[in-house]
């Protein structure tokens, strides 16, 4: 059993859970501890006890630890990428890139630890100085989803530690391998016991204990809308700081003046790569009528070239869906889309491969009405709907007609429409002639409307969540 890491020691749990390869369900990667409420409480207590010394321990110590973690992730990107592809099902190049990204995030925050921001100002009252400084929040609970098993933990854990907080971390049940490997690296980085703790286990038990614990000062969560909303309510009720990233139904607008070949690549890459299991994936392709038949024909031709297969096999473009439950969920939505009257222009069938796995043909719906559930609700799989737009204004209105607001894209050669879309799209991230998924690690990440709650993640904007501001007055 791969154990939990609490108060500087590896601790087994009463039960364990197998980590199964979605490309080959006969392949069990390892068994991982399933902690309970008692282990979660121990982790919170350890983090609370470690906080005073760690938060005052100085920024060099933090920077050195983060730098070591980042360097090891980068050095082992191929090996850890293999593990990530094996447990989550994204292709090997995507998985290796994700590990490299995690390494660069730690390196970025090693630098940020050495760049604390503050201000020293004169008071409006003579003879008084005012200082404004940022202080760590305390104990931060980090709860992550399965679709980015190492990058999302990295972009939460690295800033939490950089700004002097202690961490209790609960990864998603389906992908404990990458989280465990990351935690093992962190355990050797020179952090004092209790500063970082890993508790794998059910969200309803371990996650819930973190959320309810009075000693947890802040909760950073990424995952589904349902869980996210419960966490917002519970955290706010007891006055904890809460940052929640949830779902998306991201639009990609394709105007008639777009470079068609580029628009097709942007749509296919944004909708289907990583098996469409990205919160920023484009699932609504809003296409100006004048170009719609040519666009659909070209996307269908491109989808026909993509190989769905084992995540680690050379030449695979799209790996399997993460598990049986998610595959069934995707297939149910594909059936629903047909019942609602949309036309399946490509794919949508479960595929058999040499080994047993959760393989799904990428699916493209056309003639989708913007009111259909398949065009409004997040599916989180390789499924996209083409929605017809009369002109740019209509396309913008359709793009904004969503409860979500994570990422929005436009393909156009018109500067006027590109600039207008960047201003008017109701989304936290806007892309021009680029896929809605695929973002940098040194700039803010997050959405608007029903996609996100609380401060932005990543880049120097992460300080907003992981620190609190103190204003000090000195009469002299
Ligand atoms: P999920 O909400 O089921 O689980 C997320 C995490 O919460 C897991 O670690 C889970 O164990 C834990 N959890 C479950 N119940 C809990 C509870 N009662 N208390 C505390 N923790 C609990 O989501 P998922 O299926 O792992 O991830 C897929 C979802 O994540 C999709 O909806 C996707 O859009 C979203 N996502 C969003 C972003 C973003 O940045 N907006 C990024 C990636 C994924």
């Amino acid at each position: 059993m791969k154990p939990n890491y609490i108060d500087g020691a590896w601790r087994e749990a009463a039960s364990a859970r197998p980590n199964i390869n979605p490309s080959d369900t006969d392949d069990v990667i390892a068994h991982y501890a399933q902690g309970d409420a008692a282990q979660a409480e121990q982790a919170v207590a350890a983090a609370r006890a470690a906080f005073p010394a760690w938060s005052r321990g100085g920024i060099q110590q933090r920077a050195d630890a983060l730098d070591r973690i980042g360097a090891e992730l980068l050095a082992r990107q191929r090996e850890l990428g293999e593990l990530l592809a094996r447990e989550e099902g994204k292709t090997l190049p995507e998985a290796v890139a994700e590990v490299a990204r995690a390494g660069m995030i730690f390196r970025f925050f090693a630098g940020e630890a050495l760049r604390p921001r503050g201000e020293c100002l004169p008071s409006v009252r003579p003879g008084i100085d005012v200082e404004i400084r940022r202080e760590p929040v305390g104990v931060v609970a980090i709860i992550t989803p399965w679709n980015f098993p190492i990058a999302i933990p990295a972009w939460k854990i690295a800033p939490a530690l950089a700004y002097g907080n202690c961490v209790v971390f609960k990864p998603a049940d389906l992908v404990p391998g990458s989280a465990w490997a990351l935690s093992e690296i962190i355990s050797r980085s020179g952090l004092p016991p209790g500063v970082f703790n890993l508790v794998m286990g059910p969200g309803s038990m371990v996650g819930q204990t973190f959320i309810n614990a009075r000693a947890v000062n802040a909760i950073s969560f990424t995952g589904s809308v349902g869980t996210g909303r419960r966490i917002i309510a519970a955290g706010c009720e007891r006055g904890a700081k809460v940052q929640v990233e949830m779902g998306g139904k991201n639009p990609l607008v394709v105007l008639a003046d777009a470079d068609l070949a580029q628009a097709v690549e942007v749509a296919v890459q944004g909708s289907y790569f990583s098996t469409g299991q990205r919160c920023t994936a484009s699932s609504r392709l809003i296409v100006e009528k004048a170009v719609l038949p040519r666009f659909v024909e070209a996307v269908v031709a491109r989808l026909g070239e993509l190989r769905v297969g084992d995540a680690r096999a050379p030449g695979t473009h799209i790996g399997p869906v993460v598990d049986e439950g998610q595959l069934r969920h995707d297939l149910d939505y594909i059936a629903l889309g047909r019942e609602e009257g949309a036309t399946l222009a490509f794919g949508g069938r479960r595929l058999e491969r040499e080994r047993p796995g959760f393989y799904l043909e990428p699916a493209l719906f056309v003639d989708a009405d913007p009111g259909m559930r398949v065009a409004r609700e997040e599916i989180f799989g390789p499924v996209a709907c083409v929605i017809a737009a009369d002109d740019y204004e209509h396309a913008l209105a359709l793009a904004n007609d969503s409860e979500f607001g994570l990422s929005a894209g436009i393909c156009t050669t018109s500067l006027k429409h590109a600039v207008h879309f960047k201003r008017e799209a109701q989304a936290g991230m806007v892309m021009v002639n680029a896929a809605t998924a695929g973002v940098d690690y040194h700039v803010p990440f997050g959405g608007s409307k029903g996609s996100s709650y609380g401060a932005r993640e990543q880049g120097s904007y992460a300080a907003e969540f992981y620190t609190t501001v103190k204003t000090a007055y000195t009469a002299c």
Side-chain angles (χ1 to χ4, degrees):
M1 177 194 302
K2 300 275 188 186
N4 282 322
Y5 184 70
I6 300 168
D7 202 11
W10 292 100
R11 292 169 205 261
E12 298 214 334
S15 64
R17 184 189 152 105
N19 185 5
I20 291 167
N21 177 354
S23 299
D24 176 359
T25 53
D26 291 338
D27 175 27
V28 177
I29 298 161
H31 286 78
Y32 289 85
Q34 285 283 285
D36 54 11
Q39 279 202 331
E41 279 162 12
Q42 271 173 24
V44 172
R48 173 55 45 207
F51 178 68
W54 172 245
S55 58
R56 295 188 201 110
I59 56 177
Q60 189 64 53
Q61 188 187 8
R62 300 179 205 163
D64 289 346
L66 294 173
D67 207 33
R68 278 193 281 271
I69 298 163
E72 185 164 343
L73 287 169
L74 288 169
R76 294 174 56 195
Q77 58 185 272
R78 171 81 201 188
E79 169 212 340
L80 296 173
E82 282 266 351
L83 171 65
L84 199 161
R86 189 172 162 208
E87 72 171 348
E88 198 272 349
K90 65 182 65 175
T91 65
L92 189 56
E94 289 170 330
V96 172
E98 186 182 331
V99 177
R101 179 195 175 104
M104 289 186 283
I105 289 168
F106 273 94
R107 283 208 318 205
F108 176 86
F109 282 105
E112 283 296 281
L114 297 176
R115 281 189 289 273
R117 288 167 190 84
E119 284 179 273
C120 195
L121 306 171
S123 164
V124 291
R125 293 167 285 164
I128 295 180
D129 279 346
V130 182
E131 288 162 61
I132 303 163
R133 52 194 288 169
R134 287 193 173 269
E135 297 186 340
V137 176
V139 176
V140 182
I142 289 174
I143 302 175
T144 55
W146 50 261
N147 64 329
F148 282 90
I150 204 160
I152 293 180
W155 82 50
K156 294 178 187 294
I157 294 168
L161 296 175
Y163 298 119
N165 301 284
C166 291
V167 170
V168 291
F169 169 40
K170 196 215 95 62
D173 298 345
L174 288 175
V175 290
S178 303
W180 194 89
L182 173 62
S183 301
E184 196 277 325
I185 292 171
I186 295 173
S187 76
R188 290 184 283 100
S189 66
L191 300 180
V195 170
F196 170 82
N197 305 272
L198 164 74
V199 188
M200 299 171 288
S204 56
M205 195 179 288
V206 173
Q208 199 62 50
T209 303
F210 286 170
I211 288 158
N212 294 343
R214 297 256 153 216
V216 169
N217 307 93
I219 304 157
S220 182
F221 167 88
T222 299
S224 62
V225 174
T227 314
R229 287 196 181 142
R230 282 199 296 279
I231 288 177
I232 294 167
C236 292
E237 201 268 326
R238 68 169 182 81
K241 210 168 176 182
V242 182
Q243 171 185 63
V244 167
E245 291 294 344
M246 299 172 282
K249 190 74 184 175
N250 307 294
L252 174 71
V253 169
V254 178
L255 295 185
D257 65 18
D259 173 330
L260 188 64
Q262 183 186 49
V264 169
E265 277 316 302
V266 163
V268 169
Q269 149 61 247
S271 304
Y272 299 107
F273 283 26
S274 295
T275 323
Q277 297 175 151
R278 295 185 285 193
C279 51
T280 47
S282 21
S283 46
R284 292 185 293 143
L285 305 176
I286 299 166
V287 185
E288 216 177 336
K289 280 178 184 159
V291 72
L292 194 145
R294 280 189 296 137
F295 174 80
V296 169
E297 189 187 340
V299 171
V300 167
R302 186 78 183 89
L303 290 178
E305 294 165 2
L306 299 182
R307 197 175 312 157
V308 179
D310 188 309
R312 290 179 297 159
T316 293
H317 299 105
I318 299 180
V321 171
V322 72
D323 76 345
E324 182 71 43
Q326 184 67 38
L327 177 61
R328 227 176 288 123
H329 169 91
D330 295 350
L331 288 167
D332 286 350
Y333 265 104
I334 291 166
L336 175 69
R338 296 173 108 155
E339 280 164 30
E340 288 181 307
T343 308
L344 200 51
F346 187 90
R349 290 171 308 156
R350 184 170 189 166
L351 297 172
E352 297 291 324
R353 289 291 178 261
E354 204 180 314
R355 305 297 310 157
F358 308 119
Y359 299 105
L360 177 61
E361 241 181 346
L364 180 72
F365 277 114
V366 294
D367 305 327
D369 183 277
M372 291 176 181
R373 281 182 58 198
V374 78
R376 300 200 74 77
E377 297 173 11
E378 184 183 50
I379 300 173
F380 216 58
V383 187
C385 296
V386 174
I387 300 169
D390 298 332
D391 51 23
Y392 167 72
E393 283 70 27
H394 185 210
L396 175 65
L398 287 168
N400 285 341
D401 178 20
S402 172
E403 66 175 291
F404 296 112
L406 188 55
S407 182
I410 187 167
C411 289
T412 180
T413 50
S414 156
L415 179 64
K416 182 177 142 197
H417 288 140
V419 169
H420 190 264
F421 189 80
K422 280 191 280 183
R423 286 196 194 124
E424 298 299 324
Q426 294 168 1
M429 295 170 291
V430 184
M431 317 291 178
V432 177
N433 296 323
T436 55
V439 295
D440 287 359
Y441 62 86
H442 68 306
V443 291
F445 177 94
S448 58
K449 301 203 284 190
S451 290
S452 303
Y453 178 88
R456 284 285 183 270
E457 303 203 70
Q458 302 199 56
S460 50
Y461 283 70
E464 214 45 53
F465 180 72
Y466 291 101
T467 63
T468 180
V469 172
K470 179 179 277 177
T471 311
Y473 296 83
T474 309
C476 47

